[in-house]
Amino acid sequence: MKPVHCLAALPIAAFYSGGWLAEHVGTRLAGLPFLMTWNIVWLLLTSVVMLVMFRFDGSRDATRRTAQHVASERRDHDGAAS
Amino acid sequence: MNAALAVIAAFLAFALFVGLRARRGRTMSLEQWAVGGRGFGTLLVFLLMAGEAFSTFTFLGASGWAYSKGPPAFYILAYGALAYLLGYWMLPAVWRHATKHRCVSFSDFFATAYRSRALGVVVSLVAVLGMSALLIIQLRGLGIIVSEASYGTIPPTVAIWCGAIAMVVYITVSGIHGSASIAIYKDILILVIAIFLGIYLPLHYFGGFGEMFDRIEAARPGFLQMPTSGLTLSWYNSTILLTSLGYYLYPYVFTSVYAAKTESAVRKNTILMPLYQMVIAFMFFVGFAAILQVPGLTGADSDLALLRIVKQTFSPWFVGVIGGVGVLTALVPGSMILLNASTLIAKNIYRDGFAPQASEAVVGKLAKRVLPVFGLVAVFFVLRGGATFVALALFASSLLTQLFPSFVASLLPRPFGNKYGAFAGIGAGALVLLAAVGFDVTLRMLPGASDTVASINMGLVALAVNAVTFVTVSMLTRSRNVDGDAEAGLLRNV
């Protein structure tokens, strides 16, 4: 677990507070039912959060390593076959 | 023959053509047939997962829920996002485990993680039953869509037969490649149609989204607030939790992870999925627009909200296009269910349970023979009703979520638990579910239960009992703890 993964707490908190907020803050937001707007906005932000985690948590580099590993294995395999 | 009918028939023929052509140039080993030889990139995995996640339920159910229930329907947006967030860690771990152990089916995962063929067989039985329920729902949806969109010219029975035969044919020939190829067209079409309908209908009938909700509020005061009994806020929150935890435990969603070529193809897919979930928001707009335009649909008929408002608004050829897309939304998940169920029956029930020495080729051949039979059984139950079987199958599909504790424990950095715990936990969860479904046991029976407590989803209660049992029994039988796969762990790379 990297510090950047703490960002994942944001969507969780948001989706669980949405229903409560709708009851206490107001029933409409931007013309739509409050909970609908809230959930749509947080759907988009969930993607953003995951994108940020992906960019900074090292899993991109890990992927590149696996890809290279697979590629080299393939080369070995082809070499043996030819 | 009307225009709508011709368009729907063209869609079905096109799907069959694309599905059959997907085989081109491939030798179909079991691994190639069931999980595409593990060679799918980000885009194809995305299309497959989206294809399964957005079935006839998205098409009819989401709009129907908005139409009949209002705000509780928004739980669908929330649980999807949370499930994908969990998937960010869970799915790469699943992929690593599956690739290392060469898993092909859903229960291969459990059988290898807990080194127990018996667990694999039990999971397979539950999964096959659960999937029959889902297949029945898809076929029933297909029948409704086609008969409505063809203005009653094609009875549901004929539509169900045609759809089922098309699925069986292209899946037997092309396997997962058939599903993936059709999913490409289906996803683009449903995206375009959903956005178009979701924007056009509120503007056309009400002049705007705010105006639409103003008029709904005026006509039905309080409808746009969370109900205070039944589907209350605590139902909403507990259901989000239950459904997001159980999201990936539907066998056909789970195994599309296996088809990925790399770990990052899986992870990128979880990043994209919440964006695709927006389709559902547009479906909600259609459902809300229908409230005042096609009033009076109650009970199961509320699923017709979308088709009724579309028929009232557009000319027949366009109704046909929507019907055709509806057919595709049933075909993609339906065919994935057929594929997974037959692999489970052949590999995990037949071979693991009865004939351990059977070769891969024999299992592959058997899977292709089981497939039409399974399809036929599903068609039979859709047409005959068969309430007892359907109830049993639905029970099994909610039981699938009960695999969560043993599933997630096997993925921990230091895997926890053993097969005894897994069996006991699943059994305990099943008992609670059985009490809830079969004997109407609810939390209201607790002394002094408030509405907040009483409306907590019983599936979540079953899951809690299951988790506690799993941990307790695993700790008591610790000396025989032989499981786990630390290398595949949830947080290995991160």
Side-chain angles (χ1 to χ4, degrees):
Chain A
M1 201 84 173
K2 295 256 171 68
V4 71
H5 289 147
C6 295
L7 283 177
L10 290 175
I12 298 172
F15 283 113
Y16 280 103
S17 58
W20 185 86
L21 285 172
E23 277 182 1
H24 291 84
V25 176
T27 49
R28 300 278 287 275
L29 185 63
L32 311 180
F34 181 94
L35 194 54
M36 187 171 186
T37 314
W38 182 262
N39 284 357
I40 290 173
V41 169
W42 277 98
L43 259 182
L44 301 177
L45 290 176
T46 305
S47 270
V48 173
V49 161
M50 285 196 275
L51 194 63
V52 172
M53 294 196 305
F54 186 69
R55 174 74 184 75
F56 293 105
D57 69 2
S59 53
R60 246 180 15 157
D61 305 332
T63 303
R64 213 168 294 138
R65 279 200 305 275
T66 343
Q68 275 165 3
H69 181 67
V70 170
S72 70
E73 256 185 9
R74 245 175 228 160
R75 262 199 308 279
D76 294 348
H77 184 76
D78 290 347
S82 58
Chain B
M1 183 145 157
N2 57 39
L5 190 55
V7 175
I8 296 173
F11 266 91
L12 186 67
F14 178 71
L16 192 59
F17 168 74
V18 170
L20 288 174
R21 217 180 53 142
R23 183 200 169 95
R24 264 182 322 175
R26 292 189 182 95
T27 347
M28 285 285 161
S29 65
L30 181 65
E31 199 175 18
Q32 185 66 253
W33 188 68
V35 294
R38 300 178 210 281
F40 286 11
T42 308
L43 185 66
L44 267 183
V45 175
F46 172 73
L47 289 169
L48 263 185
M49 298 200 79
E52 291 143 14
F54 298 91
S55 61
T56 50
F57 175 75
T58 321
F59 215 63
L60 302 180
S63 49
W65 264 69
Y67 176 91
S68 59
K69 305 203 167 68
F74 302 146
Y75 91 91
I76 303 168
L77 297 174
Y79 89 77
L82 292 176
Y84 305 130
L85 194 63
L86 274 174
Y88 183 85
W89 287 280
M90 276 181 352
L91 298 193
V94 168
W95 182 85
R96 288 192 291 269
H97 178 98
T99 309
K100 187 175 154 206
H101 295 274
R102 304 204 76 75
C103 295
V104 177
S105 72
F106 178 65
S107 52
D108 281 350
F109 183 92
F110 292 88
T112 50
Y114 286 90
R115 292 184 199 152
S116 162
R117 286 216 322 251
L119 185 64
V121 174
V122 170
V123 169
S124 309
L125 286 170
V126 173
V128 167
L129 261 180
M131 283 193 287
S132 356
L134 300 166
L135 185 58
I136 287 170
I137 292 168
Q138 296 304 332
L139 288 174
R140 195 171 281 160
L142 179 99
I144 294 174
I145 292 169
V146 173
S147 80
E148 276 284 321
S150 68
Y151 298 82
T153 337
I154 310 177
T157 316
V158 176
I160 289 166
W161 274 114
C162 293
I165 290 168
M167 272 186 230
V168 167
V169 169
Y170 76 72
I171 276 293
T172 309
V173 174
S174 309
I176 196 170
H177 295 283
S179 270
S181 315
I182 298 173
I184 297 172
Y185 299 96
K186 181 219 126 191
D187 282 335
I188 294 169
L189 282 167
I190 198 168
L191 204 63
V192 172
I193 296 246
I195 294 173
F196 169 72
L197 290 179
I199 293 174
Y200 179 81
L201 292 172
L203 291 181
H204 175 71
Y205 283 114
F206 304 93
F209 293 93
E211 289 81 351
M212 176 171 82
F213 287 109
D214 286 342
R215 283 188 44 198
I216 294 172
E217 185 70 62
R220 298 178 61 180
F223 180 74
L224 295 179
Q225 275 142 36
M226 198 66 87
T228 47
S229 66
L231 304 178
T232 63
L233 184 57
S234 64
W235 173 88
Y236 173 87
N237 283 330
S238 59
T239 304
I240 294 177
L241 184 59
L242 178 73
T243 42
S244 59
L245 296 181
Y247 187 87
Y248 289 112
L249 291 167
Y250 286 96
Y252 56 113
V253 180
F254 196 91
T255 50
S256 44
V257 175
Y258 298 178
K261 201 191 315 184
T262 61
E263 191 177 321
S264 87
V266 178
R267 196 161 254 153
K268 283 183 193 156
N269 171 64
T270 62
I271 300 174
L272 284 171
M273 284 296 275
L275 300 179
Y276 191 69
Q277 186 90 351
M278 295 291 291
V279 178
I280 291 179
F282 289 98
M283 286 296 171
F284 285 154
F285 288 133
V286 176
F288 282 120
I291 290 177
L292 297 177
Q293 291 306 318
V294 285
L297 300 173
T298 53
D301 276 352
S302 55
D303 284 344
L304 298 176
L306 177 129
L307 292 164
R308 289 281 159 86
I309 191 169
V310 161
K311 276 161 79 178
Q312 181 183 310
T313 316
F314 300 103
S315 62
W317 72 267
F318 191 70
V319 175
V321 171
I322 289 171
V325 176
V327 168
L328 299 188
T329 65
L331 287 188
V332 176
S335 58
M336 284 298 285
I337 291 171
L338 281 174
L339 178 72
N340 277 285
S342 51
T343 313
L344 279 175
I345 294 171
K347 185 166 190 285
N348 302 85
I349 299 179
Y350 169 73
R351 189 177 70 184
D352 291 355
F354 302 100
Q357 72 289 0
S359 72
E360 193 87 330
V362 170
V363 172
K365 215 176 269 170
L366 180 70
K368 284 177 200 175
R369 290 204 185 126
V370 166
L371 197 141
V373 179
F374 185 78
L376 204 64
V377 171
V379 170
F380 174 79
F381 283 111
V382 183
L383 300 181
R384 286 287 306 274
T388 328
F389 175 79
V390 174
L392 182 69
L394 282 171
F395 175 75
S397 83
S398 54
L399 199 56
L400 283 171
T401 303
Q402 299 299 326
L403 297 172
F404 186 77
S406 42
F407 162 64
V408 83
S410 77
L411 293 178
L412 291 175
R414 288 178 57 204
F416 172 82
N418 58 31
K419 61 183 173 187
Y420 308 105
F423 274 122
I426 295 165
L431 284 179
V432 176
L433 274 181
L434 189 68
V437 177
F439 302 96
D440 262 339
V441 174
T442 62
L443 290 178
R444 195 169 287 284
M445 293 171 182
L446 289 176
S450 63
D451 272 347
T452 311
V453 174
S455 51
I456 290 174
N457 194 315
M458 280 302 282
L460 195 61
V461 178
L463 197 57
V465 172
N466 172 347
V468 171
T469 313
F470 171 73
V471 171
T472 315
V473 172
S474 291
M475 281 173 45
L476 290 176
T477 53
R478 194 156 206 148
S479 56
R480 279 175 284 183
N481 190 348
V482 288
D483 332 299
D485 190 1
E487 224 180 299
L490 264 184
L491 302 167
R492 194 193 61 173
N493 278 329
V494 289

